[in-house]
Amino acid sequence: MSLIAEHKTATTDAEILPVLAERWSPRAYTNDPIDETKLAAALEAARWSPSAGNSQPARFIVARRGSAAFDKVAESLMGFNKAWAPKASVLLVGLYTELRDGEGNLRPTPVYDLGQAMSHLSVQAHHDGLHVHQMTGFVADDLAAAFELPADVKPFVVAAIGTVGSPDDLDEVLAERERAPRTRLPLTELVLVNE
Ligand SMILES: Cc1cc2nc3c(=O)[nH]c(=O)nc-3n(C[C@H](O)[C@H](O)[C@H](O)COP(=O)(O)O)c2cc1C
């Protein structure tokens, strides 16, 4: 299978980096074990993402299929995520450490910083031929309990990572989504002021 899915490649109004146009979130994965070099590169890209004051609040649980950790993450998935995501080679949990200001109030930035880290991870992975599909459809409290996480370490997202597979391996509804083109709002709706 070609790495580039023509039907998933963004039709852009301005020229953007090919990796950004071609990145997409599949639900069909092959059975291959993860390529450890590519996984390490994805995590390294996440490590070098920016964060507020270089606070670096992003944390990760890396769970390879077949491990006890993988089963714990898979168990926490909700609804239809449970059907497709456990077929990926890796389930990676994106977590953030809570940070407080001088008055003890929670800082708002860690979840933003985790998002940036996940974005870097996804783009690096795609560039290297892996696919990433992020999910917030999981029970964070169950996952935190399963890994006995400290109270200030918050699971926020789970990402299925692996090699893209065939939509034929999915049920009809998911297969249809896999074959559908990606869509976005027009930029005119996103840019509120542009003087
Ligand atoms: C924070 C976040 C949460 C998401 N949660 C889910 C989820 O629980 N299940 C799912 O199938 N997809 C989930 N997605 C994937 C989005 O639906 C997907 O990124 C979006 O439809 C755009 O498709 P694309 O990534 O292929 O461009 C999530 C994505 C993000 C960034």
Side-chain angles (χ1 to χ4, degrees):
M1 181 175 297
S2 154
L3 174 64
I4 299 170
E6 300 291 345
H7 69 297
K8 290 293 185 185
T9 300
T11 307
T12 62
D13 296 337
E15 202 171 314
I16 65 173
L17 294 174
V19 66
L20 296 177
E22 291 159 10
R23 182 215 57 81
W24 66 288
S25 305
R27 294 190 178 88
Y29 288 90
T30 67
N31 258 331
D32 302 336
I34 196 73
D35 181 314
E36 293 292 343
T37 304
K38 294 175 180 178
L39 178 61
L43 287 163
E44 190 64 3
R47 183 166 81 97
W48 283 99
S49 64
S51 62
N54 204 19
S55 51
Q56 303 171 69
R59 300 289 183 269
F60 306 97
I61 290 171
V62 182
R64 293 163 185 79
R65 204 178 51 242
S67 69
F70 188 96
D71 293 343
K72 287 181 193 174
V73 181
E75 190 55 37
S76 76
L77 295 174
M78 282 167 27
F80 75 119
N81 288 338
K82 244 192 167 83
W84 63 266
K87 291 180 183 149
S89 311
V90 164
L91 290 175
L92 177 144
V93 186
L95 316 92
Y96 65 89
T97 53
E98 287 183 339
L99 298 173
R100 292 179 188 273
D101 63 19
E103 274 95 53
N105 299 313
L106 285 172
R107 290 186 191 275
T109 47
V111 69
Y112 183 90
D113 294 336
L114 172 63
Q116 295 233 47
M118 292 301 297
S119 178
H120 279 222
L121 181 149
S122 302
V123 171
Q124 180 70 42
H126 195 91
H127 173 267
D128 291 338
L130 292 176
H131 282 70
V132 177
H133 192 135
Q134 300 180 62
M135 292 161 272
T136 45
F138 72 101
V139 184
D141 287 348
D142 289 358
L143 198 144
F147 286 94
E148 298 177 10
L149 297 173
D152 62 346
V153 177
K154 302 291 185 191
F156 190 84
V157 68
V158 175
I161 307 178
T163 307
V164 68
S166 164
D168 300 340
D169 298 335
L170 295 169
D171 73 32
E172 244 175 70
V173 174
L174 292 185
E176 198 175 312
R177 290 194 202 176
E178 210 79 345
R179 295 190 183 103
R182 296 193 300 130
T183 60
R184 290 297 189 269
L185 296 171
L187 203 55
T188 48
E189 277 191 47
L190 308 184
V191 179
L192 302 183
V193 177
N194 189 13
E195 338 185 289

